[in-house]
Amino acid sequence: MISMKDTHRVLVVSSGAKTFEYFSGLLPQSDFQLSSCGSAAEARRSVIENPPDILIIDTPLSDEFGVDLAKDIADNSIAIMILVKAELLDKVSYDVEPSGVLTLSKPNSRQMFYSSVKLLAALRVRLKKMETKNRSLQEKMADIRAVNRAKWLLIDKMNMNEQDAHYFIEKRAMDARISRREVAESIIRTYDT
């Protein structure tokens, strides 16, 4: 069975145009779709408009060094790598690693760069799965909260016990072929004053 892999969107932020050309030559187009920005401000706009899967920051940038950009964007679920001169590696790593940013020294080998980007791609896949699972859990928690709120309103306003309130919500959802949350929200709208 052949599996279809997604193409990872990569945003390269660098002051030099040759950097983008170099990275384009290293990363296969079948796996990576590259775009570029020349400054941190442009990168911030680009991330808001069309978030990439992977962000590569080649320091220093024209309008800032790049560490602040990495830390600002790290709150999103974008896999980030920052390239710095070897003598700055420890200092920058210490600063950005708590934000989940990978630091790589430059110059480095083609294999090291490619392996690092593949690692970021794998990390991004895991982040997407965790986001999906998190959204699902958030929805389930919202459902439970709404149903519990509706049950307590039925107990308070209709003098039901908890078991009867639960049965009432279940039965109405089944009869109307709607979710328990929709029934609960209807009850909340009716009785929550």
Side-chain angles (χ1 to χ4, degrees), residues 10 17 23 25 42 53 64 69-70 75 95 99-100 103 107 114 126 130 142 147 151 171 182 187 189 193:
V10 179
F23 292 163
E42 189 181 346
D53 299 316
E64 68 176 70
L69 172 65
D75 291 339
D95 197 16
S99 300
T103 311
Y114 182 71
R126 288 185 59 97
M130 288 173 46
V147 169
K151 281 198 291 190
K171 176 119 173 68
E182 290 172 294
I187 292 168
R189 281 191 302 273
T193 53

Side-chain angles (χ1 to χ4, degrees), residues 106-132:
K106 60 179 186 178
N108 56 57
S109 70
R110 297 169 74 91
Q111 183 60 40
M112 174 68 84
F113 176 77
Y114 182 71
S115 295
S116 298
V117 173
K118 292 294 281 182
L119 175 69
L120 289 174
L123 174 66
R124 178 64 180 131
V125 169
R126 288 185 59 97
L127 284 171
K128 277 183 174 179
K129 287 179 182 177
M130 288 173 46
E131 283 176 345
T132 302

Side-chain angles (χ1 to χ4, degrees), residues 146-157:
V147 169
N148 283 340
R149 177 76 181 129
K151 281 198 291 190
W152 289 112
L153 285 168
L154 290 172
I155 290 168
D156 185 47
K157 305 290 185 186

Side-chain angles (χ1 to χ4, degrees), residues 11-17 19-20 35-49 52 55-70 72-73 82:
L11 177 61
V12 176
V13 186
S14 176
S15 297
T19 303
F20 178 74
S35 59
S36 68
C37 291
S39 68
E42 189 181 346
R44 285 184 174 91
R45 282 190 302 274
S46 182
V47 165
I48 290 169
E49 293 169 5
L55 178 70
I56 300 173
I57 304 169
D58 181 30
T59 64
L61 302 175
S62 60
D63 54 350
E64 68 176 70
F65 184 73
V67 169
D68 290 336
L69 172 65
D72 291 347
I73 293 176
I82 187 166

